[in-house]
């Protein structure tokens, strides 16, 4: 079955980088691939996405459509430029920008109103996992940050300790958490993605587990040759 692969470039990229990155982009992919560059590069990246399976995503948005919010970007604006997905509540935003579950929920609702599909991130810290509280912590994040909606939403399980560390969660941990998340999603069109040190080497195993509908890839999505291998799984 087709999977959802999300490339989260974070605060990386430049015009020369984008030109060389997309030089070898396959013209066909059975999976749906969402590229999420920093805001200033979204238009440039979009100009390379000619295949129906390739989509443009953003890394965040504001919960309101417009107004006196200096430095922010709204879901309505993202939709205007052809964006169709938005990552919300990434742990880097929750930690560095003090984003709460409630704010993530408001952003998700506004994204849905603007026909963007939210990719809502949840995940426990290492301390939570060591204290065996990981299932409860993620369940609370789900209950508090997911909007009540029948529209399809994506949930990305990203253990905080696995992001950018080279330490991916074990397949058993992923299966257990994804099962719990899937039990909480009402719409059968919702998908559950895994993120945290996904590589060309482990992507296939992760994507073949039950309830793993896709992956959210950070570091490995910045290397075109590596990400092409992940796209081909
Ligand atoms: P990583 O990042 O693949 O570099 O671990 C994943 C993410 O933060 O979305």
């Amino acid at each position: 079955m087709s999977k959802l692969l999300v490339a989260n470039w974070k605060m990386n990229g430049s015009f020369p980088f984008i030109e060389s990155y997309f030089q070898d982009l396959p013209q066909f992919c059975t999976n749906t691939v969402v590229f999420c560059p920093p805001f200033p590069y979204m238009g440039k990246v979009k100009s390379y996405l000619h295949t129906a399976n390739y989509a443009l995503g953003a890394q965040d948005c504001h919960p309101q459509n417009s107004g006196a919010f200096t430095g922010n970007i709204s879901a309505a604006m993202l939709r205007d430029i052809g964006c169709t997905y938005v990552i919300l509540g990434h742990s880097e935003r929750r930690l560095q920008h003090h984003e709460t579950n409630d704010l993530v929920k408001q952003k998700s609702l506004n994204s849905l109103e603007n026909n963007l599909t939210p990719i809502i991130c949840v995940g426990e810290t290492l301390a939570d996992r060591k204290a065996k509280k990981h299932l409860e912590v993620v369940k609370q994040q789900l209950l508090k940050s997911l909007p009540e909606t029948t529209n399809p939403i994506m949930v990305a399980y990203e253990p905080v300790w696995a992001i950018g560390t080279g330490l991916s969660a074990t397949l058993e941990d992923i299966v257990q958490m994804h099962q719990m998340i899937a039990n909480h999603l009402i719409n059968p069109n919702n998908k559950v993605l895994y993120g945290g040190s996904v590589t060309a080497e482990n992507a296939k195993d992760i994507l073949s587990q039950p309830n793993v509908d896709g992956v959210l890839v950070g570091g490995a999505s910045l290397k075109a040759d590596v990400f092409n291998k992940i796209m081909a799984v």
Side-chain angles (χ1 to χ4, degrees):
M1 209 172 95
S2 163
K3 301 286 185 178
L4 183 70
L5 314 177
V6 183
N8 177 12
W9 287 6
K10 308 192 180 185
M11 199 172 72
N12 295 292
S14 65
F15 282 129
F17 167 83
I18 293 167
E19 275 153 25
S20 102
Y21 186 94
F22 285 108
Q23 235 158 36
D24 297 320
L25 186 73
Q27 285 312 298
F28 177 77
C29 182
T30 50
N31 297 308
T32 300
V33 190
V34 183
F35 294 94
C36 305
F39 293 127
Y41 299 120
M42 292 184 75
K44 176 84 173 163
V45 166
K46 182 156 195 307
S47 70
Y48 288 96
L49 307 181
H50 303 304
T51 307
N53 281 7
Y54 296 152
L56 184 65
Q59 298 175 18
D60 183 42
C61 71
H62 192 270
Q64 299 200 32
N65 283 339
S66 62
F69 304 106
T70 303
N72 284 296
I73 306 244
S74 73
M77 294 169 184
L78 292 172
R79 187 67 214 190
D80 243 5
I81 61 157
C83 173
T84 47
Y85 290 83
V86 58
I87 298 171
L88 295 174
H90 189 283
S91 62
E92 284 153 14
R93 294 211 59 91
R94 289 180 187 259
L95 290 169
Q96 297 162 10
H97 299 268
H98 313 291
E99 293 201 359
T100 60
N101 288 320
D102 188 52
L103 180 63
V104 174
K105 187 175 185 171
Q106 289 173 43
K107 290 181 175 193
S108 305
L109 280 168
N110 187 260
S111 304
L112 288 165
E113 277 166 22
N114 285 287
N115 295 318
L116 295 185
T117 302
I119 303 167
I120 302 168
C121 301
V122 293
E124 82 283 1
T125 61
L126 192 54
D128 295 330
R129 184 161 278 273
K130 282 191 173 154
K132 303 204 183 327
K133 289 197 269 182
H134 48 287
L135 287 167
E136 186 53 30
V137 165
V138 172
K139 185 170 142 193
Q140 288 307 317
Q141 285 179 336
L142 282 176
L143 293 174
K144 293 177 184 153
S145 44
L146 258 55
E148 288 103 42
T149 175
T150 50
N151 290 320
I153 49 174
M154 312 288 137
V155 173
Y157 168 52
E158 296 208 303
V160 178
W161 49 271
I163 295 176
T165 58
L167 292 173
S168 141
T170 65
L171 296 178
E172 292 74 24
D173 292 342
I174 296 173
V175 169
Q176 183 191 40
M177 191 62 85
H178 279 232
Q179 177 68 61
M180 188 280 285
I181 295 172
N183 290 345
H184 277 85
L185 300 178
I186 35 172
N187 186 331
N189 292 324
N190 290 342
K191 291 187 192 303
V192 191
L193 319 181
Y194 169 77
S197 295
V198 174
T199 62
E201 286 72 39
N202 64 18
K204 195 170 182 178
D205 281 345
I206 293 172
L207 284 165
S208 50
Q209 301 308 308
N211 294 311
V212 178
D213 304 306
V215 284
L216 177 45
V217 189
S221 77
L222 287 167
K223 298 184 193 101
D225 55 335
V226 175
F227 195 59
N228 282 357
K229 285 189 194 143
I230 296 175
M231 284 167 63
V233 300

